[in-house]
């Protein structure tokens, strides 16, 4: 991935206007591996937590086809009956699936702007660390490690 991505995440992590922010690193795995998929499944994301149940964020990654992609989203946290488990749903604008791969996400424009929604199950290890599993539609799973900063 481009070193500019790391600089963007680093700059965003130093914005401390509200009480809780979260930075995450993730990888993904497909249900069906195809030769056209690349082997660089790293996702970096930054979330700004605005209340106990709402957050906004930005994820930067190379999609399955090696195209630099971005996901700008709003999310909502849902409590579960288990102490260390909660659910999240993020939804927003996804950009980067272009040209011959534009049909790989359900709603997408010729310019590569589409709509995304990602449900997640999050395990909170302690007050600052979390592990998550998210569903990429019918394509695969995202495995993440997050830290509040």
């Amino acid at each position: 991935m481009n070193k500019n991505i790391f600089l963007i995440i680093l700059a965003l992590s130093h914005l401390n206007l509200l009480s809780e922010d979260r930075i995450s690193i993730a990888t993904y795995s497909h249900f069906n591996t195809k030769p056209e998929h690349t082997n660089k499944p790293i996702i970096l994301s930054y979330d700004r937590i605005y209340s106990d149940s709402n957050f906004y964020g930005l994820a930067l990654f190379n999609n399955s086809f090696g195209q630099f992609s971005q996901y700008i989203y709003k999310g909502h946290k849902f409590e579960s009956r288990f102490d260390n488990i909660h659910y999240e749903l993020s939804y927003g604008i996804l950009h980067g699936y272009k040209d011959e791969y534009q049909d790989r996400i359900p709603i997408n424009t010729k310019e590569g702007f589409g709509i995304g929604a990602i449900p997640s199950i999050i395990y909170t290890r302690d007050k600052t660390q979390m592990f998550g599993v998210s569903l990429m539609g019918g394509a695969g799973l995202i495995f993440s490690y997050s830290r509040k900063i």
Side-chain angles (χ1 to χ4, degrees), residues 19 35 51 67 86 97 116 136 138 145:
S19 62
S51 70
Q67 298 171 315
H86 70 270
Y97 288 80
M136 294 188 305
Y145 168 77

Side-chain angles (χ1 to χ4, degrees), residues 19-135:
S19 62
E20 289 188 343
D21 296 335
R22 176 174 62 182
I23 192 162
S24 303
I25 186 165
T27 188
Y28 55 87
S29 177
H30 289 92
F31 295 136
N32 295 318
T33 305
K34 296 180 181 177
E36 60 191 352
H37 292 160
T38 65
N39 292 322
K40 297 182 181 180
I42 299 295
I43 303 168
L44 297 174
S45 65
Y46 173 83
D47 298 327
R48 172 69 48 90
I49 302 169
Y50 281 93
S51 70
D52 288 342
S53 61
N54 292 301
F55 58 92
Y56 297 87
L58 168 68
L60 304 172
F61 59 99
N62 282 339
N63 67 29
S64 304
F65 311 103
Q67 298 171 315
F68 178 65
S69 300
Q70 312 85 44
Y71 178 47
I72 298 171
Y73 54 89
K74 179 182 190 306
H76 190 78
K77 174 182 171 182
F78 301 92
E79 296 298 329
S80 77
R81 61 182 175 165
F82 304 104
D83 289 339
N84 292 356
I85 303 284
H86 70 270
Y87 310 104
E88 292 182 357
L89 176 64
S90 69
Y91 44 93
I93 298 176
L94 182 61
H95 176 259
Y97 288 80
K98 299 177 186 176
D99 304 323
E100 68 267 27
Y101 303 114
Q102 79 181 55
D103 64 343
R104 300 304 171 102
I105 58 174
I107 300 172
N108 200 9
T109 67
K110 184 178 177 182
E111 295 81 20
F113 288 95
I115 297 173
I118 300 175
S120 304
I121 299 173
I122 309 295
Y123 168 75
T124 303
R125 180 172 179 217
D126 55 38
K127 291 182 180 185
T128 61
Q129 298 181 79
M130 293 156 276
F131 298 91
V133 176
S134 306
L135 184 61

